[in-house]
Amino acid sequence: MNRTRKLLALMLTVLLLLATLPAAGLADSYKVETLKLNQWYRLQDYSGNTTIYKLKVTGDTIVSINWKNIKTNDNFAYLSINRDKSCDDTIASSGIYDTSSGTLGYVLYSGTYYISMYDNKESGKVKFSTKRAVTVNKPNYCMGKAVTVKAGKKVEIAQTKSNNYYRWYRIKLQKTQSITFNGIDQYGFTLYDRNLNELSCSDRGNVCVTQGMQPKGTYYLEIKRAYLSDLAQKGEYIAFSWK
């Protein structure tokens, strides 16, 4: 009887050990490093030895991501921001293979995040930078507080759970022209003339353009707030300009 009990105990121990091996092997195959900001990282092809980068942020934070040297032909470059080391709980992701260089941004809340990124051609480089959302947000929540924006100037917005509201901007045309917006689509904003008549705009490729020429004068741009359901895990980052 004692011998049988010992044998059963040994078998149970072996089974428990075997059950832990896949998890241990998975944990060992991923190296976790703290992400260094404003430093270029050369992307590697995806493999079992992929490095995961840890990023800790405090308060509502804009994370800007720049990439370059991506080979766009028959390539797959990708990055994701996750809440766990195994990168199963993904809150944001993007393919970065359509253009050889570019930038994108996310708004993250306080916490620790894990970033996975790779490039099957191993040619691309990526750099991260951060800034507090409060540094870009303005109290332009109504037309009376509209912020004047000059042509070609980049405007940044961070919609978060605690700062989610309509944003108003003033545009002044010095001559008759069409107005082209880059960074927002026709469903994300409303454009008004000085008499608050709504002007129609349409998407043309990666830009949005007014339908027809607009006379010299003052216009108002209203950027819509985000849906609260879209702000549960992260904020919404908008960067636009006009010409």
Side-chain angles (χ1 to χ4, degrees), residues 166-211:
Y166 286 84
R167 319 294 173 107
W168 285 81
Y169 299 92
R170 185 183 298 106
I171 291 173
K172 295 183 178 181
L173 296 187
Q174 304 301 321
K175 62 180 181 179
T176 298
Q177 65 172 85
S178 62
I179 306 175
T180 300
F181 297 100
N182 186 14
I184 47 177
D185 61 41
Q186 61 180 323
Y187 303 108
F189 72 93
T190 304
L191 181 66
Y192 303 92
D193 64 17
R194 64 184 304 168
N195 297 316
L196 293 186
N197 296 309
E198 185 175 335
L199 302 177
S200 297
C201 298
S202 58
D203 288 330
R204 298 181 186 175
N206 295 324
V207 300
C208 196
V209 185
T210 56
Q211 294 182 2

Side-chain angles (χ1 to χ4, degrees), residues 18-241:
L18 290 175
T20 62
L21 284 178
L26 180 62
D28 291 341
S29 65
Y30 289 89
K31 181 172 63 174
V32 178
E33 293 183 2
T34 299
L35 182 74
K36 295 181 180 179
L37 299 175
N38 302 308
Q39 172 179 304
W40 287 103
Y41 286 89
R42 180 177 293 279
L43 297 179
Q44 302 295 319
D45 192 8
Y46 181 80
S47 70
N49 296 318
T50 299
T51 299
I52 305 300
Y53 296 94
K54 182 171 68 173
L55 173 64
K56 184 177 181 179
V57 299
T58 303
D60 297 343
T61 301
I62 297 173
V63 178
S64 297
I65 305 167
N66 288 12
W67 71 86
K68 63 181 182 180
N69 299 341
I70 298 293
K71 295 180 179 179
T72 57
N73 294 329
D74 190 27
N75 191 22
F76 189 72
Y78 175 85
L79 62 86
S80 66
I81 301 176
N82 313 272
R83 290 192 176 277
D84 59 338
K85 295 179 182 179
S86 60
C87 298
D88 292 324
D89 186 7
T90 302
I91 66 167
S93 62
S94 178
I96 54 174
Y97 45 81
D98 289 334
T99 57
S100 60
S101 62
T103 182
L104 57 87
Y106 297 107
V107 181
L108 301 182
Y109 304 137
S110 293
T112 300
Y113 300 87
Y114 298 89
I115 300 170
S116 172
M117 48 188 180
Y118 50 88
D119 172 14
N120 70 330
K121 297 294 185 181
E122 298 192 338
S123 63
K125 291 185 177 181
V126 172
K127 179 175 67 174
F128 291 75
S129 61
T130 63
K131 57 186 169 185
R132 298 175 61 201
V134 69
T135 62
V136 304
N137 286 334
K138 310 295 182 184
N140 53 333
Y141 52 83
C142 64
M143 191 180 69
K145 294 184 177 293
V147 175
T148 299
V149 180
K150 295 181 178 180
K153 178 178 174 59
K154 178 182 176 181
V155 178
E156 296 178 281
I157 298 172
Q159 300 280 29
T160 68
K161 288 184 287 188
S162 57
N163 283 281
N164 180 35
Y165 52 91
Y166 286 84
R167 319 294 173 107
W168 285 81
Y169 299 92
R170 185 183 298 106
I171 291 173
K172 295 183 178 181
L173 296 187
Q174 304 301 321
K175 62 180 181 179
T176 298
Q177 65 172 85
S178 62
I179 306 175
T180 300
F181 297 100
N182 186 14
I184 47 177
D185 61 41
Q186 61 180 323
Y187 303 108
F189 72 93
T190 304
L191 181 66
Y192 303 92
D193 64 17
R194 64 184 304 168
N195 297 316
L196 293 186
N197 296 309
E198 185 175 335
L199 302 177
S200 297
C201 298
S202 58
D203 288 330
R204 298 181 186 175
N206 295 324
V207 300
C208 196
V209 185
T210 56
Q211 294 182 2
M213 305 290 282
Q214 306 304 318
K216 175 182 176 180
T218 300
Y219 297 81
Y220 291 93
L221 177 68
E222 179 191 42
I223 302 293
K224 298 178 181 179
R225 67 180 183 180
Y227 291 107
L228 289 177
S229 58
D230 293 335
L231 301 177
Q233 298 190 74
K234 61 179 179 62
E236 180 180 285
Y237 176 74
I238 301 170
F240 76 90
S241 62

